[in-house]
Amino acid sequence: YQAGYWTPIWVTIADSKFSGEINIDVPDGDGVMTRTTRNSSAATASGEHLLYTKFGRTGAQMSVMLRDDTGEEFRRSFGVQEIPPARPASQQSVLVIGDVDLNKALKGWSRNEDEKIAVARVDSAAMLPDHWIGLECFELMLIATSQPKLLEELSAAQVTAINQWVRMGGCLILSVGQNAPALVADGKPLQPFAPGRFVNVEEQRETASLEVLPDSSEPIEFNDAAGPGLETAIFADIQGQVELSELIGS
């Protein structure tokens, strides 16, 4: 999480019959305690309660207070030793959904050579927020589709949150290959982010344009020169600006 940005907080209540308010108190940038409140009826499918709060400082405490319908209060406080320090507001942050290694790709992207880009990795749909403000600290989001089950479990609210985040200025990279039919075809979970109408998947061996776009000095190499090519999703009726193109199957 990052200081100065909205942060999703999942609260688990042992008593499944609890009814009332859930409050989270954290200090703002001036050290003044601020409160976020949510009714206990708004639980996730797993029974957790998702709230959003904004830590104003990199090292801060947090207090969770429950107030039931009778007015009785239950409180638990978390000190700075129990909460990992937040990243500074100026640090670049990237969200990766799925299994992919970005270490090489991010080397030339940092605005500050002395500051490492923070990478948050999500390997479960339950870890994603259901509102775009929970994504606001990220400049870039990469969705890798090698784990289709993870993406198929995204809720409608989570897809809407990503969509709104993109419309608010977020940069989304969608890496789609052999699993494209299950993820970006009509009615599939990632279809709202497709650049056009999905047609099929083709093997592509000519990758010069892909290498030019990121200004990479390293070519894309295939293990077997006579083997299969790069499985690439083909789209028609493209919307938006086309940055590069190759002939299908070349």
Side-chain angles (χ1 to χ4, degrees):
Y1 69 104
Q2 202 154 348
Y5 292 92
W6 287 103
T7 300
I9 302 289
W10 284 265
V11 177
T12 302
I13 302 175
D15 183 359
S16 60
K17 296 181 180 179
F18 173 81
S19 177
E21 285 183 356
I22 305 169
N23 301 277
I24 294 181
D25 298 327
V26 299
D28 63 13
D30 297 320
V32 178
M33 298 303 287
T34 60
R35 171 167 291 183
T36 303
T37 301
R38 189 164 190 178
N39 191 279
S40 63
S41 61
T44 64
S46 62
E48 296 177 320
H49 303 270
L50 177 56
L51 294 85
Y52 296 90
T53 192
K54 186 179 291 189
F55 291 86
R57 299 179 172 185
T58 55
Q61 69 272 25
M62 177 178 69
S63 177
V64 179
M65 189 267 283
L66 308 180
R67 181 185 292 115
D68 67 18
D69 293 336
T70 69
E72 188 174 2
E73 297 183 355
F74 312 86
R75 183 183 297 272
R76 179 177 176 186
S77 297
F78 300 83
V80 292
Q81 298 82 8
E82 299 176 90
I83 304 176
R87 299 190 302 271
S90 60
Q91 187 173 9
Q92 288 177 275
S93 298
V94 173
L95 176 62
V96 177
I97 303 176
D99 184 18
V100 64
D101 184 0
L102 281 184
N103 291 333
K104 283 187 176 181
L106 293 179
K107 282 184 178 179
W109 188 62
S110 176
R111 291 190 297 265
N112 185 350
E113 293 182 358
D114 298 325
E115 187 173 64
K116 186 178 180 180
I117 296 175
V119 179
R121 298 183 182 277
V122 170
D123 56 14
S124 168
M127 297 172 62
L128 284 170
D130 62 1
H131 196 286
W132 73 267
I133 62 173
L135 301 167
E136 71 165 348
C137 71
F138 299 109
E139 295 184 31
L140 172 69
M141 180 188 305
L142 171 62
I143 299 180
T145 58
S146 58
Q147 298 174 308
K149 187 175 185 299
L150 185 161
L151 301 170
E152 290 168 355
E153 292 175 351
L154 291 175
S155 69
Q158 289 171 322
V159 173
T160 298
I162 297 173
N163 202 350
Q164 290 179 321
W165 173 81
V166 171
R167 294 178 182 277
M168 296 291 289
C171 178
L172 171 65
I173 297 177
L174 183 59
S175 176
V176 180
Q178 64 180 352
N179 293 317
L183 295 171
V184 296
D186 287 346
K188 300 303 180 180
L190 300 183
Q191 188 275 329
F193 310 116
R197 176 176 54 82
F198 172 71
V199 178
N200 61 1
V201 174
E202 296 276 357
E203 289 188 2
Q204 186 78 9
R205 298 198 64 84
E206 178 55 58
T207 59
S209 293
L210 292 177
E211 295 161 10
V212 168
L213 181 64
D215 194 24
S216 173
S217 59
E218 298 184 23
I220 297 175
E221 297 180 344
F222 298 96
N223 293 330
D224 183 356
L230 185 68
E231 291 181 296
T232 306
I234 307 300
F235 295 91
D237 305 324
I238 299 296
Q239 298 181 14
Q241 181 175 339
V242 178
E243 296 288 348
L244 61 86
S245 63
E246 291 281 7
L247 294 177
I248 296 176
S250 60

